């Protein structure tokens, strides 16, 4: 056997919520061959499995009675280049933020707004990561993924991935069917900068800076450090819920009662309402019970202050969903993957 099988492994160091649960089996793979051997083991046991990158978008509510496949695939290469673009192929176990830093230092544009998002490159397509007006799909070229049932490797292009708002085909039809091995991004040599978000504009004004790839990268890092809890200090998985898209009718109905409600038009028929505002209106901002709660600065982030069980955090999430539904008739959908 070319892999290191571990038994009864505590997943606390492998999830940013810092939930202590045990996985029956655990294999970290550093090559595609190791992964293929691990899959032979998996098939011989017929047990559940879960691919794990940085564990920054998962909440474990119970012990995992199966095999964790921890992604250790590393490496990156430029596969094509012309006057306008560069195509970079990156192995899926690479750290996302380190990739952003590498691209910013090379002056390649497109992912600077996505600085400081924790986790791996391979997880980025799963929910089409996004922040400050940019999404992975804007620079996505292709990915290679291993189909777990057949062992075949397939290439997916942009149109195959059904990317949506924090969504892709890998969260739906192909959920848990593929392991993403590499991701190829097409980055700009003549960057198109996006600094539309108010926090970024304020940062530029305050520090008297001109927009550039590097300055957007620095602005995003600085704003995020100020606003978001560091998972190394307080367990969390970023935004727990997606920002809801609501119909025009419902939007006008709520706005009549709450004229100060922030909102962003998505198209003629749909509005985006920040989930953080809805949660705050329901009185949850800064809520704390024992060792878990709602972050005092960002109510969209649920936090584990100590050894809180994942089940309690999940129950809190359900209570928040119920109160938002009751007050606004909006159903908040979790962004975090719950196991
Ligand atoms: P994991 O948590 O390990 O996995 C997430 C899901 O993807 C799981 O279902 C897993 O099975 C699957 N998966 C992981 N790797 C693979 C693979 N190689 N092949 C197939 N399936 C795989 N997200 C945003 O979109 N925008 C943000 O701005 C943002 N900010 C965050 C800030 C903080 C402080 C935190 C803690 C999280 C934030 N997130 C954000 C969420 C999270 O960082 C991203 O979703 C990230 O892409 C998850 O990467 P990961 O490697 O940790 O994935
Ligand atoms: P923010 O800038 O205070 O904005 C609040 C909400 O309003 C965000 O959800 C954002 O939607 C929306 N918004 C703000 N300005 C907008 C604009 N110009 N056009 C369209 N929508 C706009 O949000 P924040 O909490 O500090 O987060 C900043 C960014 O980082 C956001 O993009 C957020 O999604 C991202 N983030 C994500 C996570 C995560 O775990 N997923 C965690 C932290 C931060 P969008 O969410 O669609 O951008």
């Amino acid at each position: 056997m070319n892999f290191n099988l571990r038994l009864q492994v505590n997943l606390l160091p492998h999830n940013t919520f810092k939930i202590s649960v045990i996985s029956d089996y655990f294999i970290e793979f550093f090559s595609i061959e190791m992964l293929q051997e691990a899959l032979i083991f998996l098939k011989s046991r017929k047990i559940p499995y879960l691919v794990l990158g940085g564990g920054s978008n998962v909440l474990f509510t119970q012990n995992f009675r199966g095999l964790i496949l921890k992604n250790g695939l590393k490496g990156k290469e430029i596969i094509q280049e012309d006057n306008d673009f560069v195509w970079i192929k990156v192995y899926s176990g690479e750290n996302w933020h380190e990739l952003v830093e590498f691209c910013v230092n090379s002056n390649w544009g497109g992912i600077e707004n996505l600085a400081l998002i924790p986790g791996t490159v391979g997880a980025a397509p799963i929910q089409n990561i996004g922040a400050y007006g940019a999404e992975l799909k804007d620079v996505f070229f292709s990915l290679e993924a291993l189909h777990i049932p057949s062992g075949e490797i397939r290439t997916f292009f942009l149109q195959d991935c059904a990317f949506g708002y924090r969504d892709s085909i890998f969260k739906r039809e192909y959920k848990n069917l593929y392991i993403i091995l590499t991701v190829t991004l097409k980055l700009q040599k003549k960057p198109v900068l996006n600094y539309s978000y108010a926090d970024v504009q304020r940062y530029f004004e305050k520090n008297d800076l001109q927009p550039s790839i590097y300055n957007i990268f620095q602005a995003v890092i600085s704003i995020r450090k100020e606003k978001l809890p560091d998972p190394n200090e307080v367990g969390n998985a970023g935004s727990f819920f997606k920002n809801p898209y609501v119909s025009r009718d419902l939007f006008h109905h709520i706005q009549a009662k709450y004229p100060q409600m922030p909102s962003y038009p998505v198209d003629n028929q749909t509005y985006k309402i920040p989930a953080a505002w809805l949660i705050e209106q329901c009185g949850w901002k800064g809520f704390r019970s024992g060792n878990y709660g709602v972050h005092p600065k960002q109510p969209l982030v649920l936090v584990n202050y100590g050894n809180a069980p994942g089940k309690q955090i999940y129950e809190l999430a359900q209570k928040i969903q119920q109160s938002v539904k009751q007050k606004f008739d909006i159903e908040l959908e979790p962004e975090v993957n719950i196991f």
Side-chain angles (χ1 to χ4, degrees):
M1 278 197 302
N2 191 17
F3 57 77
N4 183 11
L5 174 66
R6 292 163 60 199
L7 305 179
Q8 301 301 311
V9 171
N10 193 318
L11 297 181
L12 190 142
H14 303 288
N15 72 96
T16 61
F17 245 130
K18 301 289 174 218
I19 305 294
S20 174
V21 287
I22 303 295
S23 175
D24 284 350
Y25 303 95
F26 186 100
I27 294 173
E28 185 165 6
F29 57 95
F30 298 98
S31 68
I32 294 170
E33 293 69 36
M34 281 173 88
L35 171 61
Q36 280 163 335
E37 288 201 26
L39 293 180
I40 294 171
F41 166 79
L42 181 66
K43 279 179 188 156
S44 72
R45 295 295 171 110
K46 295 193 173 62
I47 46 175
Y49 61 87
L50 175 67
V51 192
L52 208 53
S56 64
N57 208 12
V58 293
L59 174 65
F60 290 108
T61 59
Q62 54 189 316
N63 289 335
F64 190 70
R65 311 312 311 263
L67 170 65
I68 295 287
L69 290 161
K70 168 92 177 174
N71 189 352
L73 297 178
K74 301 279 179 181
K76 57 181 177 297
E77 57 176 322
I78 309 298
I79 55 165
Q80 199 182 322
E81 202 167 350
D82 62 20
N83 286 338
D84 297 325
F85 297 103
V86 57
W87 285 256
I88 182 168
K89 177 173 169 172
V90 190
Y91 278 86
S92 56
E94 286 283 349
N95 177 274
W96 173 262
H97 176 72
E98 285 170 17
L99 173 67
V100 175
E101 196 168 26
F102 173 79
C103 296
V104 166
N105 288 334
S106 307
N107 208 28
W108 299 330
I111 52 176
E112 58 279 2
N113 296 44
L114 305 178
L116 225 59
I117 298 182
T120 53
V121 168
I126 303 288
Q127 73 159 13
N128 178 27
I129 56 169
Y132 299 98
E135 288 180 304
L136 179 84
K137 74 169 172 45
D138 305 333
V139 292
F140 178 87
F141 183 73
S142 67
L143 64 80
E144 292 170 303
L146 189 145
H147 183 239
I148 297 167
S150 67
E152 280 171 17
I153 295 178
R154 176 177 163 190
T155 302
F156 289 77
F157 293 95
L158 186 63
Q159 65 276 14
D160 304 320
C161 296
F163 287 128
Y165 176 65
R166 305 292 188 268
D167 198 27
S168 77
I169 200 160
F170 303 103
K171 283 190 92 169
R172 297 184 181 274
E173 291 97 303
Y174 293 163
K175 193 177 166 78
N176 226 10
L177 267 188
Y178 282 92
I179 298 181
I180 295 175
L181 306 172
T182 68
V183 178
T184 299
L185 305 180
K186 183 182 170 187
L187 300 171
Q188 306 137 5
K189 286 186 172 173
K190 295 169 186 159
V192 184
L193 303 175
N194 178 347
Y195 45 96
S196 57
Y197 274 45
D199 279 351
V200 178
Q201 289 187 2
R202 264 194 295 270
Y203 181 89
F204 283 163
E205 278 160 29
K206 196 173 136 211
N207 295 287
D208 197 19
L209 290 172
Q210 292 304 311
S212 69
I213 295 178
Y214 186 77
N215 286 345
I216 291 178
F217 174 72
Q218 287 300 344
V220 169
I221 290 176
S222 168
I223 297 161
R224 293 183 76 110
K225 280 189 173 161
E226 169 64 25
K227 227 173 168 179
L228 287 169
D230 178 351
N232 292 321
E233 289 160 18
V234 184
N236 76 90
S239 305
F240 198 92
F241 303 102
K242 293 184 189 182
N243 291 301
Y245 284 19
V246 303
S247 69
R248 198 170 53 174
D249 285 353
L250 181 55
F251 167 74
H252 284 308
H253 178 72
I254 301 173
Q255 202 196 32
K257 203 166 166 196
Y258 301 91
Q260 80 288 13
M261 173 177 72
S263 65
Y264 300 88
V266 179
D267 54 42
N268 278 346
Q269 300 300 322
T270 322
Y271 286 79
K272 175 171 66 177
I273 301 179
W277 183 84
L278 297 167
I279 297 168
E280 186 175 353
Q281 293 302 307
C282 293
W284 288 107
K285 190 175 181 177
F287 167 87
R288 181 166 179 166
S289 169
N291 272 340
Y292 64 99
V294 178
H295 193 256
K297 283 193 192 166
Q298 172 46 290
L300 197 44
V301 177
L302 305 190
V303 284
N304 176 9
Y305 290 108
N307 303 318
K311 198 165 166 285
Q312 285 182 355
I313 294 173
Y314 184 47
E315 283 164 5
L316 170 62
Q318 288 174 311
K319 284 185 190 150
I320 292 172
Q321 280 174 308
Q322 281 158 14
S323 52
V324 169
K325 172 79 182 154
Q326 211 168 18
K327 195 171 173 100
F328 296 105
D329 198 22
I330 292 176
E331 286 182 27
L332 289 183
E333 190 188 334
E335 181 182 300
V336 172
N337 301 281
I338 296 153
F339 299 101

